[in-house]
Amino acid sequence: MILSQVYGQGMSVAAMSCLALDAELKAALAGAATPEQRRSAVRGLSRTFQKKLAGVIAPAWMMAAAEDIRYPATKVAGNGPAPPSRLMQGYLDNVIRACHRDVGTIELFFEIAHMIRPPSHILHPRLVAAALKEALYSSLQQLWALLWAPAVAPAKKVA
């Protein structure tokens, strides 16, 4: 599996994979004193570790794939992204715009993007509030432009 360097998650996934392997080895080797017991204890470890590793890699893969769907060159099976994907993209657009206005929002967002916090924290109350505030702000700006923007009359030709 190759993770895109654009999202900067490769080192995080590698470190988390090492921690998962360490935990699996410690659990398998607990109580194994002799070399023969250790060899016996690690038989079949590969399959169980690969399952754990899939759980480590999945969040990074999902975050990157969900973002990549935005680009026209990305090939998606079927009719394109599902409505929940488009809804999440709109939400993330608002979160990212809110990051420009609030340091706490951007810090929380980066902690999620860099896998310090789990992906489920993308729905943290602080981010949801920031996204709603940004959506309201954007809607009010559009409404203001429609209602109060001066009408510009086309210039008359002078003969």
Side-chain angles (χ1 to χ4, degrees):
M1 167 192 229
I2 298 173
L3 293 172
S4 173
Q5 64 272 20
V6 171
Y7 304 108
Q9 297 170 327
M11 293 301 288
S12 297
V13 170
M16 293 166 60
S17 299
C18 289
L19 292 172
L21 178 58
D22 182 56
E24 285 296 308
L25 285 171
K26 283 180 180 174
L29 295 174
T34 67
E36 185 55 43
Q37 289 173 332
R38 289 182 180 157
R39 275 193 292 276
S40 177
V42 295
R43 282 194 188 102
L45 182 67
S46 176
R47 181 166 287 143
T48 58
F49 172 66
Q50 289 298 323
K51 289 178 183 178
K52 298 271 183 180
L53 188 59
V56 169
I57 295 170
W61 185 258
M62 285 187 294
M63 285 190 282
E67 188 59 28
D68 286 348
I69 287 174
R70 293 176 182 263
Y71 301 103
T74 304
K75 292 184 175 30
V76 179
N79 297 326
S85 295
R86 288 192 290 273
L87 179 65
M88 187 56 121
Q89 288 171 353
Y91 169 73
L92 287 174
D93 288 343
N94 286 326
V95 168
I96 290 168
R97 277 195 295 275
C99 286
H100 294 278
R101 301 179 195 282
D102 180 50
V103 172
T105 301
I106 196 167
E107 286 175 350
L108 181 55
F109 180 74
F110 278 152
E111 287 176 359
I112 297 162
H114 295 285
M115 302 181 72
I116 296 167
R117 290 180 181 242
S120 61
H121 282 214
I122 200 68
L123 296 174
H124 188 279
R126 181 180 190 130
L127 292 183
V128 171
L132 289 172
K133 183 177 172 184
E134 192 58 40
L136 179 62
Y137 179 76
S138 178
S139 297
L140 289 174
Q141 277 186 318
Q142 290 173 3
L143 183 61
W144 179 270
L146 285 173
L147 297 177
W148 287 284
V152 179
K156 293 183 182 180
K157 270 191 169 178
V158 178

